[in-house]
Each structure stands twice: as C-alpha cells, then as structure tokens.
Amino acid sequence: MSRITPDVWDRLADSEFHGDTLWARLAAPDVTDRLLAALDSSHRRHLLVPLGQVEKSFTDRRSRGLEVATKEMSLPGHEVTRYLDVICHDPAGHEAFDLIGGDLAAELVDPAAKASAVAERILEKWRRFWAQAARGMLSREEQIGLFAELWFLLLWLIPKIGIDDALAAWRGPHGSRHDFEMPSLSVEAKATTSVKGRTHRINGVDQLSPPDNGPLLLFSMQLREERGSSNTLPAMVRRCREALVERPTALSLLDAGLVEAGYSDVHAEEYAKLTLRVVDSALYRVEDDFPRITPDVFAGGVPGGVEEVGYTINLSGFDTLIYARDPGAWVL
C-alpha cells in the first residue's frame, strides 16, 4: 500500500515558520503533481489538492482529528488559488494520514479525476479506520484468528452462498456467539500453529453451544509460520477486497467487520511479517461426541462466581467428525 514517505515531512520541518504560512512541497512527486504536503506553524500536517474552476467545494469535520476544508491560497509557482485542505489534528494519526495521502495520489494520477469526488470517496473509505489510528496492533493470536475467518469467508462461504449473504453471515467481529451465523447453521472458525496437533483455544462455555436453528460446524485450519510463504493477514484482506471491488455494499460490510475485529491498514507492514503456510483445513460437525464444554455439563449451571471459562481442544483423534476437507465438498 502506497503512502507519503517520512522524508517529505522531514524536509518541510526544516522550514522557517511564521504566522499563517504553510510550507508545501509535492507529496508524491513520482506519482502526481496534483497533491501537495504542507506543514503549518503548529507543525500540523496538511494534504493540499488543487481544485478546478468548476469543481465543487468540499468540507468534512465528521472524523475526530481529521478535517477537510476548501480554502483560497496562494502558493509560489502555482496558478491555482483554490485547494482542498485535508488537515491532521492528531499526531497519533500520522501513519494513517500518510496512507490516505498515498490513496489520494494514486487516484489523482488520472487527469480526468475530479479532486473533490476523489477526496470524498477516499475519506469515506478511511473514516472507519481513522478512529483506530492510535490503537495498538492485534496480538499474534488475533491475527491468526482473523486470517482463518477471512479464509473461510472468501474460499469456502462466498462460493457456496454468494457475496451478499456471506458478508451478512460474518458476525464474529460484531460480538455474536459464532463467527458465521446463517438461518440453517452456524460456523465457528479456528486456526492453530501448534505442532502438537490440531489444537484450538475455546473461549467460554457458550462458544461451542449449538445455535437455536440448525447444526454448528467448526472450521479448523492448521498453519505454520514459514518465511517463504506469501500468506499474510494483509494479503488476505487485499484478496477479499479485490473480490468485492464491484460490490460496494459488500465491501462496506467487509471493512466494517475488519474495524470491529480491530484490524487497521496502519499496521499492515507489521502484520505482513507474520507469514503463514496453510497445512490443512477441515470442517467438523460439532455433535455429541465432539470435545467441548457447554453449560449443560454443569448439573446446576455454571457455578456462581465463575466469570470466565476457557479450555483447549485437540481434534487430532476426531477425523470421524470431519464433514468436508475442501470448499466444494460441503452443502448447506
């Protein structure tokens, strides 16, 4: 993913600031001359986009720490006097701001692209992620878990029930009991990098309880960290987005789920360092002989005062419960 490089801001920081003066330079000179990076006397970062004479003005203050305004400016060497001014008020959002700049530059390459329309579209895309700019990274376990959910979504569920229904069924990030919930069944997705077997951590006594309607299935992935592999969480996110690029409603649902799961493109470079080889995947029937703890195991219910129950299962000896080993071998 392209971004504004740190040296652009470093060079501007050496300028002598006074009053309301903005010091500016091309933000991505190798890409386009239609985007400027600027600093003001408070060292706030700006992205300036020149507006054509007939282009509409655009203002946006809906994102905390990020503002867009249309301003009259006079910049040496530039005949244009009206600019979109995208302002970053929060230093914690600098990384995300640089990514926004990269997206702007990539679209402004097209000379026919209307600057205000481009800015409006890109800021709408980033609005969901902006609030997470200062948020920490997902843990290693959370990255692996999200990778498994996206793998099942893209390669198993979408081919089976279609894009719109599959995105609507992805409920795990939104706090639902199971990762995927459909009228006729539910699916819980798990992944492991353990060499001790197909082991998975189960969070709570309700996670493997059956849904009210239909059966519960468990999608299990065995992964290995392998430096030569091309499988990463950002690559998986990119594959999903590419598959949905012609379906804006579904793409919006995907991005909403990613936000709720705690994923932000700001950390994509770090996430890409975890490279995974897919060893095996299988879909299991969660039936009576499936290894699990549910509320009915406790004769009088979960003991009072017990607030959290977690346990680990190993499916290595339960091949008889495998429902499907590849995406084309299961039916709803």
Side-chain angles (χ1 to χ4, degrees):
M1 179 172 290
S2 60
R3 64 174 71 209
I4 307 302
T5 56
D7 66 289
V8 171
W9 305 111
D10 292 342
R11 293 179 184 179
L12 288 170
D14 293 333
S15 306
E16 185 176 337
F17 296 90
H18 52 85
D20 294 329
T21 301
L22 285 178
W23 287 91
R25 63 183 298 116
L26 289 176
D30 296 335
V31 180
T32 180
D33 60 0
R34 297 178 66 195
L35 182 67
L36 300 169
L39 289 180
D40 59 27
S41 58
S42 298
H43 278 237
R44 289 180 306 179
R45 295 184 177 185
H46 298 245
L47 291 169
L48 306 176
V49 184
L51 286 175
Q53 291 183 350
V54 298
E55 285 193 73
K56 68 177 183 178
S57 298
F58 176 45
T59 59
D60 191 329
R61 296 181 177 86
R62 288 177 290 168
S63 298
R64 181 178 175 273
L66 188 69
E67 176 185 354
V68 184
T70 302
K71 296 180 180 178
E72 299 286 336
M73 298 182 187
S74 177
L75 297 179
H78 292 264
E79 296 180 1
V80 178
T81 59
R82 198 163 62 102
Y83 291 83
L84 282 183
D85 184 6
V86 186
I87 312 165
C88 179
H89 293 286
D90 184 359
H94 282 174
E95 287 189 79
F97 195 65
D98 288 346
L99 290 169
I100 291 172
D103 277 2
L104 285 170
E107 292 216 23
L108 290 171
V109 169
D110 180 0
K114 300 297 184 182
S116 55
V118 167
E120 188 172 3
R121 182 169 61 253
I122 287 174
L123 289 171
E124 185 61 33
K125 166 193 167 182
W126 274 95
R127 194 180 314 285
R128 294 188 182 93
F129 295 95
W130 182 257
Q132 293 182 276
R135 189 171 166 177
M137 289 180 56
L138 295 172
S139 68
R140 177 182 178 278
E141 290 71 24
E142 288 170 332
Q143 293 175 53
I144 290 171
L146 181 56
F147 180 89
E149 290 181 37
L150 295 176
W151 186 279
F152 180 77
L153 174 70
L154 182 63
L155 301 180
W156 286 67
L157 194 56
I158 286 178
K160 189 64 61 175
I161 66 175
I163 288 174
D164 293 334
D165 288 341
L167 266 296
W170 186 33
R171 301 301 304 159
H174 302 283
S176 296
R177 184 152 56 102
H178 300 125
D179 292 324
F180 298 89
E181 296 182 343
M182 292 154 277
S184 59
L185 61 83
S186 293
V187 179
E188 188 67 24
K190 295 289 184 180
T192 181
T193 58
S194 173
V195 296
K196 298 179 180 178
R198 196 185 287 270
T199 62
H200 299 295
R201 184 68 179 170
I202 308 301
N203 304 306
V205 295
D206 288 323
Q207 193 169 41
L208 294 185
S209 293
D212 292 337
N213 298 311
L216 173 65
L217 303 176
L218 186 139
F219 177 67
S220 169
M221 293 191 77
Q222 286 185 293
L223 306 170
R224 294 287 184 272
E225 286 191 56
E226 193 168 284
R227 189 165 294 182
S229 177
S230 60
N231 289 316
T232 67
L233 179 55
M236 200 66 229
V237 170
R238 185 167 56 252
R239 288 178 65 183
C240 288
R241 285 175 173 159
E242 289 171 353
L244 307 180
V245 69
E246 302 296 333
R247 306 288 285 273
T249 300
L251 186 58
S252 180
L253 287 174
L254 173 71
D255 282 340
L258 291 172
V259 169
E260 292 300 321
Y263 179 88
S264 172
D265 290 318
V266 167
H267 305 298
E269 287 187 8
E270 285 299 314
Y271 291 146
K273 294 177 181 178
L274 178 61
T275 53
L276 302 166
R277 177 170 62 90
V278 177
V279 177
D280 189 24
S281 62
L283 199 57
Y284 286 77
R285 297 185 300 271
V286 181
E287 299 177 342
D288 291 342
D289 49 351
F290 190 94
R292 57 178 169 164
I293 297 174
T294 55
D296 56 11
V297 169
F298 303 94
V302 178
V306 176
E307 296 185 357
E308 183 178 350
V309 175
Y311 59 100
T312 300
I313 62 173
N314 190 331
L315 298 178
S316 297
F318 291 85
D319 285 1
T320 56
L321 293 177
I322 292 178
Y323 180 51
R325 285 191 176 276
D326 65 78
W330 71 298
V331 294
L332 293 176

